[in-house]
Amino acid sequence: MTESSVSQVEKSTQIDSLAKDAVVALFIKVAGLILIYVLQIFLARWMGKTEYGIYEYVIAWTLLLAIPAGLGLPRTTLRLISEYRVKQDWSSLRGILRGSWLLTLLSACLVCLITAIVIWSLNYFRNFIYAIPLLVGLGLIALQALVQLQVETARAMNDIALAYTPSLIIWPILVLSGGFIFREKNHFLTSLPMIGIATSMLFIVCLFQSFLLRQTVNNQIKPATPNYAYRQWITISLVLLLQRAFLIILDETDIIMVGSLIGPAAAGTYNVAAKTALWVTFILETMNIVVAPAFATLYTQGDIQGLQKVVSQVAVWIFLPSLSIGCILLIFTEPVLSIFGPDFIVASISLKILILGRLIDSFCGSVGALMVMTGHQNKALPVFGCSAIMNLVLNAIAIPKFGIMGAAITTTFTMIVWNVWLSTLVVKYIGIRPWVFYSLFKLGEKSITES
């Protein structure tokens, strides 16, 4: 069991193995992104932009609140499990697997309770249009937190299919099927039943993934008495919690603030543009799924040269296809948006602005994952904090003046700032050059030498 686990760790850092895992991850991400995109198209057409906007507003809030509910433990488990496997510390590994799940469940229940009190208070003193939808969607907070923990645990166990198939493929299929059946039976579909359907289907997915994950752990990890190092986990996870919260703020604040400052119809329109722009960075996200554990393993082993080799190769894998996708979307912006309906074409300029920001994100590569997985999360925290505050302030100024285009400009500007800033920190503290141009130069130089 021990020798098998060690060989799996060593294999997980090889370029060929990473390439194979990347193909699997790419297939799942593409299939998942297509399914989620199809789901959004049908929901927008079935519910109309106002009800669809309410639904997406609730989803955005549940994703945001799932971050404090998770206590930063998903990223902590991803990093520490990778380290424990290198060190063969099976007791600590068993401990974090059990302890992180229990802490997440307790924290999620507390966050749901506090959220319910806040929503009730807001609605008591002032008629809050989102009050009932948010209360109906409270269960999504706990479920999103647990699923995210299970995703990162499966990633650390090098099981990409188990990590992402349940949430990216099975859940959208179940939600789409549930929405279709409800609409056919009742001849209408609004945000409230759709939120209920999404919650019940995610509950099923969470149970299914938990069962399979337990089997995977028992097959790969040597039995040992769990060691619960809660103080160490919390020390790391609180920093990662803040970092993750800032990242979600950067991803979801624009949608939430558009919905709050302009209304649900505008939120629905802008959400379509924001989600379409994600096509540009889905390669980046896919690569991070595969290589993040390898970053932690190589850095723990002190193999900086090997780490640079992996980063350089991955940077090329990320940027070239991302650039192609971005150019296609820039050319066919209006036809793509028209798939959702004629009312969504007004977001074409916003979509183009968001695409440019996502291209910069792909150009800089896996800088965020590098800082976290090498233990430099404390040094990266000011980057995410300042960027999140900047995003909030600029959105508050730009959205009332420029509408959804103001949100797009703010989000893109903030994305550029934090990517460039993180890139300089990666060079300074890790000694790694993450940029694609450096990677292309080194690969070209290697080809000339070999010839």
Side-chain angles (χ1 to χ4, degrees):
M1 181 72 73
T2 301
E3 292 180 358
S4 174
S5 299
V6 173
S7 65
Q8 288 174 355
V9 170
E10 292 176 346
K11 182 180 177 182
S12 68
T13 63
Q14 298 174 0
I15 295 293
D16 291 343
S17 179
L18 291 175
K20 293 178 182 178
D21 288 342
V23 172
V24 175
L26 183 62
F27 175 80
I28 295 174
K29 287 289 288 185
V30 170
L33 198 54
I34 291 173
L35 283 171
I36 292 172
Y37 208 64
V38 169
L39 173 62
Q40 291 170 340
I41 291 172
F42 277 102
L43 291 183
R45 287 184 171 273
W46 289 344
M47 295 192 290
K49 63 181 182 180
T50 299
E51 288 294 323
Y52 173 70
I54 294 173
Y55 171 81
E56 286 297 334
Y57 183 87
V58 172
I59 295 297
W61 264 114
T62 59
L63 285 171
L64 183 62
L65 292 172
I67 302 308
L71 289 176
L73 288 168
R75 281 295 184 91
T76 303
T77 58
L78 175 61
R79 176 187 151 192
L80 291 182
I81 287 175
S82 300
E83 291 184 10
Y84 293 154
R85 295 184 74 182
V86 171
K87 298 175 181 177
Q88 301 183 43
D89 187 354
W90 312 123
S91 294
S92 295
L93 202 157
R94 286 279 181 180
I96 195 170
L97 287 172
R98 297 181 184 180
S100 60
W101 202 93
L102 178 60
L103 286 174
T104 300
L105 182 61
L106 294 174
S107 175
C109 291
L110 180 60
V111 170
C112 288
L113 177 61
I114 294 173
T115 303
I117 294 173
V118 171
I119 294 171
W120 180 85
S121 300
L122 289 173
N123 194 55
Y124 180 81
F125 294 103
R126 177 187 176 186
N127 186 26
F128 185 37
I129 186 174
Y130 299 108
I132 295 179
L134 285 170
L135 289 172
V136 172
L138 281 178
L140 281 170
I141 299 173
L143 291 171
Q144 295 273 21
L146 289 172
V147 167
Q148 189 57 42
L149 176 65
Q150 293 174 176
V151 165
E152 302 298 348
T153 302
R155 283 179 64 190
M157 302 300 298
N158 297 318
D159 195 334
I160 302 300
L162 176 58
Y164 288 96
T165 300
S167 58
L168 291 185
I169 295 180
I170 298 176
W171 187 39
I173 291 176
L174 292 176
V175 173
L176 182 61
S177 301
F180 174 78
I181 294 172
F182 185 93
R183 185 172 181 269
E184 288 297 307
K185 182 177 181 180
N186 298 279
H187 307 291
F188 74 93
L189 183 63
T190 58
S191 56
L192 290 181
M194 199 63 239
I195 293 168
I197 290 171
T199 304
S200 59
M201 297 307 173
L202 188 58
F203 177 74
I204 294 172
V205 166
C206 185
L207 289 179
F208 173 71
Q209 187 180 41
S210 177
F211 173 76
L212 294 181
L213 184 58
R214 186 177 294 108
Q215 289 186 322
T216 299
V217 169
N218 290 333
N219 289 334
Q220 292 190 21
I221 303 304
K222 182 179 180 180
T225 303
N227 176 31
Y228 299 102
Y230 287 111
R231 179 173 296 180
Q232 179 194 7
W233 304 341
I234 295 299
T235 300
I236 297 173
S237 67
L238 287 180
V239 176
L240 295 179
L241 169 61
L242 288 174
Q243 183 185 110
R244 184 62 179 166
F246 292 145
L247 277 173
I248 292 296
I249 287 173
L250 292 173
D251 285 340
E252 304 293 340
T253 294
D254 46 0
I255 297 173
I256 291 173
M257 293 188 73
V258 166
S260 301
L261 298 175
I262 305 179
T269 302
Y270 180 77
N271 180 74
V272 166
K275 293 298 187 290
T276 301
L278 291 177
W279 278 98
V280 178
T281 50
F282 92 91
I283 298 292
L284 170 62
E285 294 172 359
T286 301
M287 290 299 105
N288 283 341
I289 289 171
V290 176
V291 301
F295 291 164
T297 299
L298 289 167
Y299 192 78
T300 301
Q301 294 172 341
D303 187 2
I304 301 301
Q305 184 177 356
L307 181 58
Q308 177 67 74
K309 181 180 178 181
V310 170
V311 170
S312 296
Q313 184 62 69
V314 169
V316 177
W317 291 347
I318 290 171
F319 184 70
L320 296 182
S322 299
L323 180 61
S324 301
I325 295 170
C327 291
I328 292 172
L329 287 176
L330 286 171
I331 295 172
F332 299 102
T333 299
E334 292 192 3
V336 170
L337 290 174
S338 66
I339 297 174
F340 292 84
D343 292 341
F344 294 91
I345 297 179
V346 296
S348 59
I349 297 178
S350 298
L351 174 55
K352 291 178 179 178
I353 295 170
L354 290 168
I355 289 171
L356 294 176
R358 294 293 175 180
L359 283 173
I360 297 297
D361 200 7
S362 298
F363 171 82
C364 291
S366 305
V367 287
L370 275 167
M371 292 297 290
V372 172
M373 300 308 292
T374 57
H376 292 88
Q377 65 275 352
N378 290 8
K379 299 178 179 67
L381 187 60
V383 179
F384 296 108
C386 293
S387 299
I389 294 172
M390 181 192 307
N391 190 263
L392 287 169
V393 173
L394 293 180
N395 265 318
I397 297 172
I399 291 175
K401 290 186 177 181
F402 304 107
I404 62 173
M405 188 172 68
I409 293 172
T410 295
T411 299
T412 296
F413 176 75
T414 307
M415 194 175 300
I416 293 172
V417 170
W418 79 264
N419 269 289
V420 173
W421 193 352
L422 276 180
S423 296
T424 61
L425 294 182
V426 167
V427 174
K428 180 178 180 180
Y429 293 109
I430 307 176
I432 295 296
R433 273 67 179 173
W435 311 292
V436 67
F437 287 164
Y438 175 84
S439 303
L440 288 171
F441 174 77
K442 295 298 288 185
L443 291 176
E445 187 181 69
K446 179 181 178 182
S447 299
I448 293 173
T449 303
E450 290 177 349
S451 63

